[in-house]
């Protein structure tokens, strides 16, 4: 380990910044966040930097650097573009044993500033020891996506109950298990979701009862159309803390790999005419696992409330007073159309869009077809591959022009995505003569014509 990570309390303490440009201003912002009293020495300073000095109670010295200005500083940052000045600042600080950071010059530093994820009072710092600042910033970006902004609120919430928990659980191991259960369970989720008053009541009850274990909960999470980069922060967080995962066939393998490693996985997928587990049995399984005290993730392709039968699953949970959370996902219509370069609405082509299930019932697709043939609308059929021929035929029969553009998006948003285009008249024969793999999405309307100009780029 080249450096020992430490966190300094700089509240009201004098800190000196040498330099008045953009980088100096950036460093001063960090010091201001930490509550430092900032002084700056530079012949000329940016307006924002001067304001930071004033608001912190420090002094602005519009002159060249002089070692006398170090004074009682507890930290000095040199951020000039003059190498001789930076070197002199470093030497002066080392002679006085004052921590010094010289921007982009690790050899002149006694301390370095890391890339910071600020979830105060939770602070996360990443550093490459000055070897690769860009890499450290990339790590910070990844951490930003892992820890939501509300983690700071959770840390403050937990701190209010430390003394009460310590009094209730004299054994250190019990306290550890209690806090692990709280911070990884329902109470923490309530705080993160903004229901802090409910969380406070629940935590008080658990402290009073001396209850170390948490109760079960279900997370109904939309996994989106396939590309793991389309997951929400909240979805990823819940995926990482679930103990049991029920997933369907529309959940891509890269997304499944992001689930907590030691979680039990149960496949409950469905194919046409092949139900691995009937929906009623899935509902009962969710209920049973939650009643056993498990944190259960129901991971569904797309959005759980758009042709995902999510409403049926939470009906049973609500009836048995099982806590649950619903996390929306990017539905296939939105994700696949965007990746195909087909806007679902466009001022010149479509002012409305319909989402329609293309599932056959008794071998037929039964709709009020007259509603579908109106101009200036986009129709999106989910799971429409099997019924495609009937859909196209009926649309033409009820008056939709035979040359209306049609797109069939195959494995949308994945690296293997293929977009097949044609018209209501030509698409059935095109599909018959082409090997196509589910999942697919059928888009009908004038907006499909834009695929040629908007869908060319590589991802």
């Amino acid at each position: 380990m080249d450096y020992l990570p430490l966190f300094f309390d700089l509240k009201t303490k004098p800190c000196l910044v040498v330099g008045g440009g953009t980088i100096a201003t950036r460093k001063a912002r960090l010091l201001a966040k930490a509550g430092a009293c900032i002084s700056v020495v530079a012949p000329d300073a940016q307006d924002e930097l001067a304001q930071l000095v004033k608001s912190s109670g420090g002094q602005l010295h519009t002159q060249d650097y002089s070692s006398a200005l170090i004074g009682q500083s507890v930290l000095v940052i040199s951020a000039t573009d003059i190498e001789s000045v930076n070197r002199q600042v470093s030497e002066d600080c080392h002679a006085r044993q004052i921590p010094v950071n010289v921007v982009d010059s690790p050899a002149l530093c006694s301390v370095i500033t890391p890339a910071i994820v600020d979830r105060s009072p939770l602070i996360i710092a990443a550093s490459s020891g000055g070897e690769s600042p860009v890499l450290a910033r990339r790590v910070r970006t990844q951490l930003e996506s892992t820890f939501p902004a509300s983690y700071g609120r959770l840390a403050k919430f937990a701190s209010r109950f430390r003394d009460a928990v310590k009094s209730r659980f004299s054994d250190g191991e019990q306290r550890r298990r209690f806090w692990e259960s709280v911070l990884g369970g329902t109470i923490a989720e309530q705080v993160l979701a903004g229901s802090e008053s409910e969380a406070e009541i629940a935590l008080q009850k658990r402290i009073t009862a001396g209850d170390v274990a948490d109760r079960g909960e279900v997370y109904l999470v939309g996994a989106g159309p396939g590309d793991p980069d389309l997951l929400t922060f909240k979805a990823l967080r819940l995926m990482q803390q679930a103990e049991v995962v029920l997933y369907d066939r529309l959940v891509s393998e890269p997304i499944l790999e992001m689930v907590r490693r030691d979680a039990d996985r149960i496949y409950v997928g469905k194919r046409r005419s092949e139900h691995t587990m009937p929906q009623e049995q899935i509902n009962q399984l969710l209920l049973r696992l939650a009643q056993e005290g498990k944190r259960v993730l129901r991971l569904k392709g797309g959005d759980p409330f758009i042709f995902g039968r999510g409403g049926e699953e939470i009906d049973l949970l609500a009836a048995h007073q099982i806590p649950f959370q619903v996390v929306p996902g990017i539905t296939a219509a939105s994700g696949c159309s965007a990746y195909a370069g087909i806007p679902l609405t466009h001022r010149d082509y479509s002012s409305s869009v319909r989402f329609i299930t293309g599932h056959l019932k008794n071998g037929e697709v039964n709709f009020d077809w007259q509603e579908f043939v109106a101009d200036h609308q986009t129709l999106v059929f989910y799971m429409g591959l099997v019924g495609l021929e009937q859909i196209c035929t009926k649309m033409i029969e009820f008056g939709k022009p035979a040359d209306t553009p049609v797109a069939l998006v195959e494995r949308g948003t994945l690296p293997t995505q293929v977009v097949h285009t044609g018209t209501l008249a030509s698409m059935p024969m095109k599909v018959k003569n082409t090997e196509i793999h589910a999942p697919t999405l059928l888009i009908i309307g004038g907006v499909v014509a834009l695929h040629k100009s908007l869908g060319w780029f590589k991802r």
Side-chain angles (χ1 to χ4, degrees), residues 157-234:
F157 173 84
S159 70
R160 302 206 317 260
F161 294 88
R162 285 186 64 191
D163 291 341
V165 171
K166 191 172 183 179
S167 298
R168 184 65 181 84
F169 302 103
S170 57
D171 181 79
E173 178 63 20
Q174 275 194 327
R175 288 199 298 272
R176 182 189 65 78
R177 288 178 55 212
F178 177 84
W179 279 120
E180 283 184 349
S181 174
V182 168
L183 296 176
T186 306
I187 292 173
E189 286 304 319
Q190 288 175 326
V191 176
L192 295 174
S195 303
E196 201 162 322
S197 58
E198 294 178 23
E200 186 169 338
I201 293 170
L203 184 53
Q204 288 283 15
K205 286 181 179 179
R206 284 192 58 183
I207 294 172
T208 302
D211 184 9
V212 174
D214 198 4
R215 63 185 298 201
E217 184 177 13
V218 174
Y219 312 136
L220 190 60
V221 173
D227 184 347
D229 286 348
L230 298 180
L231 284 169
T232 64
F233 291 165
K234 186 172 185 178

Side-chain angles (χ1 to χ4, degrees), residues 220 248 270 279 298 300-313 383:
L220 190 60
D248 60 43
K270 304 180 184 72
Q279 184 63 51
R298 177 64 173 107
K300 306 171 78 72
D303 182 278
F305 278 6
I306 299 180
F307 305 128
R309 305 189 73 172
E312 299 172 43
E313 294 174 353
M383 302 156 288

Side-chain angles (χ1 to χ4, degrees), residues 239-395:
M239 288 165 64
Q240 284 291 314
Q241 71 182 42
E243 299 165 299
V244 185
V245 182
L246 279 64
Y247 66 99
D248 60 43
R249 73 179 184 91
L250 294 178
V251 177
S252 68
E253 189 61 32
I255 288 177
L256 201 56
E257 283 298 308
M258 300 174 82
V259 169
R260 178 173 158 179
R261 293 287 182 185
D262 59 347
D264 294 331
R265 298 183 183 185
I266 303 173
Y267 176 65
V268 295
K270 304 180 184 72
R271 296 180 185 273
R272 186 169 55 92
S273 304
E274 178 193 326
H275 288 203
T276 300
M277 186 178 293
Q279 184 63 51
E280 294 73 18
Q281 193 173 338
I282 295 173
N283 300 348
Q284 290 294 333
L285 181 58
L286 289 171
L287 175 62
R288 177 174 64 79
L289 290 169
Q291 288 176 330
E292 291 173 0
K294 303 286 181 60
R295 295 193 294 271
V296 187
L297 172 69
R298 177 64 173 107
L299 194 58
K300 306 171 78 72
D303 182 278
F305 278 6
I306 299 180
F307 305 128
R309 305 189 73 172
E312 299 172 43
E313 294 174 353
I314 63 172
D315 263 350
L316 186 63
L317 300 173
H320 288 80
Q321 297 184 322
I322 298 295
F324 62 84
Q325 296 188 56
V326 180
V327 182
I330 293 180
T331 188
S334 180
C336 295
S337 62
Y339 275 49
I342 302 174
L344 293 178
T345 61
H346 188 286
R347 185 168 57 181
D348 297 333
Y349 297 92
S350 173
S351 58
S352 66
V353 59
R354 290 174 181 255
F355 296 169
I356 309 153
T357 177
H359 262 322
L360 298 180
K361 187 174 183 179
N362 301 323
E364 296 290 333
V365 280
N366 298 307
F367 300 111
D368 185 349
W369 294 102
Q370 199 62 54
E371 291 186 1
F372 294 167
V373 299
D375 292 334
H376 300 291
Q377 67 173 331
T378 304
L379 305 178
V380 180
F381 287 85
Y382 285 66
M383 302 156 288
L385 179 59
V386 175
L388 184 143
E389 184 174 359
Q390 289 189 50
I391 292 170
C392 292
T393 300
K394 286 289 187 182
M395 294 283 287

